Structure formats: structure tokens, C-alpha cells
Amino acid sequence: MSWLPRWGDYFYAGAEAKQRLQALTPGQDTVVEVNRLLKLTAMAAYSRQQVASLSGEEWTQFLNAQCNPAPFSQHHCALLAEGIYRQPEEDSAAA
């Protein structure tokens, strides 16, 4: 039953991510926090070695490859891939 501890990790990570997602308030750090929650959940569901180093376009391609149909549009992919690198001034100027 070696899968049981892994399943427990995934379930816990998913439940924690759901709680944190529900607690989010709209703001400049929302994209960063959502991206972080996606990464934590993906590392629980897949191996850390497979997920931890992914960033930018590789990260969003990985996310979209896990679901059919792909959950993230081109716009969402750009936010996830590049949004964490934006300065706060860029976020408020775009609004």
C-alpha cells in the first residue's frame, strides 16, 4: 500500500489549497498566490522533481496538459507565466 501515504499528501494539499483559495482577497498578489497554490498542489500530486523546476511557458504547458480540455486560456497562461515577475506599478497601471 505504498500509494496510501502519497494519496494522503495529495488530499491534504488539495484541502489546504482550497481553504487558502477561498481566503484570497482580490489584490496585486492574487496571481502570485494562485500560482503558488497550483505549484504546491501539483507537487503533492506529482513528484517534486517533476514539478518544482517548471516555470514560465513550461509550467503553464504542464498545467494544461493535466486536464482535457485545457483549463487555462492563452491570457491565463500569460498571467501565470509572467505575472509573478511584474512590479506592482505595472499591475495598477494596467487596471
Side-chain angles (χ1 to χ4, degrees):
M1 294 243 187
S2 62
W3 59 267
L4 191 56
R6 184 89 175 123
W7 183 86
D9 291 346
Y10 175 70
F11 180 78
Y12 175 76
E16 183 180 350
K18 185 176 178 182
Q19 266 187 327
R20 289 183 182 189
L21 196 57
Q22 290 172 338
L24 279 178
T25 56
Q28 293 177 337
D29 295 334
T30 303
V31 171
V32 174
E33 186 63 17
V34 167
N35 210 16
R36 190 170 78 77
L37 293 174
L38 286 168
K39 184 74 80 150
L40 290 172
T41 304
M43 284 193 295
Y46 302 91
S47 71
R48 182 177 191 88
Q49 293 79 17
Q50 184 180 4
V51 176
S53 65
L54 297 175
S55 64
E57 191 174 332
E58 286 180 341
W59 170 234
T60 58
Q61 286 175 349
F62 171 83
L63 290 172
N64 274 339
Q66 307 316 308
C67 301
N68 188 13
F72 298 106
S73 69
Q74 190 173 19
H75 174 71
H76 293 134
C77 286
L79 285 173
L80 290 171
E82 301 165 11
I84 60 172
Y85 303 110
R86 287 190 198 168
Q87 297 298 318
E89 302 83 48
E90 291 175 348
D91 289 339
S92 59

